[in-house]
Amino acid sequence: MTHADRVLADEQIVGAVYEALARRYPKSRSRGRLGAPAEVVLRLLILKHVRNWSYQVLEREVRANLVYRDFSRVGGGKTPDAKTMGRWGLAVDPETIKQIHDRIVQVAQEQGVTQGRRMRVDTTVVETNIHYPTDSTLLGDGVRVLIRTMKKVTKIVGTAGTKLRDRTRSVKLRLLDVSRTARAKGPLNHEKLKQGYRRLLNSTSRVVGQAKRFSYEISAGVKRARGILKRLVRIPMISPGCTDLISPGIPR
């Protein structure tokens, strides 16, 4: 925070935030009650972003922490509420953020930290839900990727060689059957689950075998683009690691 404190004291960075706050209303500069200093607004928003907090958490942490109070220049004054800080976040528009970024790059150039031609930064990561990686769903994902790749190959080379058979629907039905059976308990359902997995593995093995034949025919030149222009397009190769569910060898 010591390094950030020195950079955020730059007049151009603070000035960009001041101009953004002054543009909120037509006469914000001359009318109305006094607002929070631009320096306080800047540092509070930076603190929120760096710590990945919500405005409610930001308000609570700054109110209770003397270090954050000193960094944000709130000091012994009243901590702004979350609703007010949310309005500040809307007022600092993308154009202002770009100005701040450009000035930070310029400061880094002046101090010899970077040459300014390229700069790698951490991007914001948004949490999202993914399905739990069960054996059945992993098999389904593998089938989906292999069939998608074989469709791309067929689009480029046409019907030469092995004909594509899309088993996406049958594999999807097997996945639903396994999922429904797995929710139930008891020895009878356990046996049904084994049968469901056998059918799923059978369908998956057929897709893998087809993918191996596609891969072999691409390397042997059986599957080739029909036109000269299409030959310039890179034909997707099927990775051997995706087809290790059955024993390797020349495709049947």
Side-chain angles (χ1 to χ4, degrees):
M1 294 180 72
T2 303
H3 298 289
D5 186 75
R6 288 200 296 266
V7 174
L8 295 178
D10 185 81
E11 293 183 359
Q12 293 187 31
I13 296 177
V14 177
V17 177
Y18 174 81
E19 293 296 330
L21 296 174
R23 291 195 300 265
R24 286 189 294 174
Y25 301 103
K27 296 184 179 181
S28 294
R29 300 176 187 269
S30 57
R31 293 188 179 181
R33 62 182 179 180
L34 295 177
E39 185 180 28
V40 175
V41 175
L42 170 66
R43 290 168 177 268
L44 286 172
L45 294 179
I46 290 291
L47 185 61
K48 174 190 180 299
H49 178 74
V50 171
R51 293 290 188 260
N52 195 24
W53 289 337
S54 65
Y55 288 109
Q56 289 78 12
V57 175
L58 177 64
E59 177 188 355
R60 184 181 70 241
E61 292 293 331
V62 173
R63 183 188 298 117
N65 193 305
L66 294 177
V67 176
Y68 294 151
R69 279 180 171 271
D70 182 66
F71 173 78
S72 60
R73 300 296 189 264
V74 173
K78 181 182 177 182
T79 303
D81 60 83
K83 191 174 181 179
T84 300
M85 291 188 287
R87 294 197 187 100
W88 294 341
L90 295 176
V92 181
D93 52 9
E95 181 182 352
T96 305
I97 295 175
K98 184 179 183 302
Q99 294 177 11
I100 295 173
H101 287 173
D102 292 342
R103 177 54 184 166
I104 290 176
V105 173
Q106 185 178 356
V107 172
Q109 285 180 288
E110 293 173 355
Q111 297 184 5
V113 177
T114 181
Q115 296 179 350
R117 292 194 299 269
R118 292 183 180 179
M119 178 175 287
R120 181 184 294 273
V121 296
D122 291 334
T123 57
T124 302
V125 178
V126 180
E127 183 178 359
T128 183
N129 294 324
I130 61 172
H131 66 76
Y132 187 79
T134 60
D135 292 335
S136 59
T137 55
L138 290 176
L139 289 172
D141 291 342
V143 168
R144 177 174 51 80
V145 172
L146 287 176
I147 291 179
R148 182 180 64 196
T149 304
M150 287 188 286
K151 283 183 177 179
K152 292 181 180 179
V153 173
T154 303
K155 186 177 180 181
I156 296 174
V157 305
T159 57
T162 302
K163 184 179 179 181
L164 172 63
R165 181 176 178 182
D166 191 350
R167 289 186 170 86
T168 305
R169 185 173 180 273
S170 62
V171 171
K172 185 177 180 180
L173 293 175
R174 300 284 183 269
L175 287 172
L176 292 175
D177 186 36
V178 169
S179 178
R180 283 193 296 265
T181 308
R183 295 194 197 95
K185 304 294 182 180
L188 181 61
N189 290 313
H190 185 68
E191 186 62 30
K192 288 183 179 179
L193 186 62
K194 286 184 178 180
Q195 295 176 3
Y197 265 106
R198 289 193 189 101
R199 290 193 290 268
L200 177 60
L201 284 170
N202 181 54
S203 299
T204 305
S205 298
R206 292 178 182 274
V207 175
V208 171
Q210 191 176 41
K212 283 192 171 187
R213 289 192 291 274
F214 264 63
S215 181
Y216 176 75
E217 290 176 358
I218 291 173
S219 61
V222 177
K223 289 187 176 294
R224 299 180 62 188
R226 290 168 292 182
I228 297 178
L229 293 178
K230 287 191 174 182
R231 289 179 186 178
L232 298 177
V233 180
R234 183 179 178 184
I235 299 178
M237 295 297 292
I238 300 173
S239 173
C242 298
T243 59
D244 58 356
L245 295 177
I246 60 177
S247 58
I250 297 177
R252 296 184 295 277

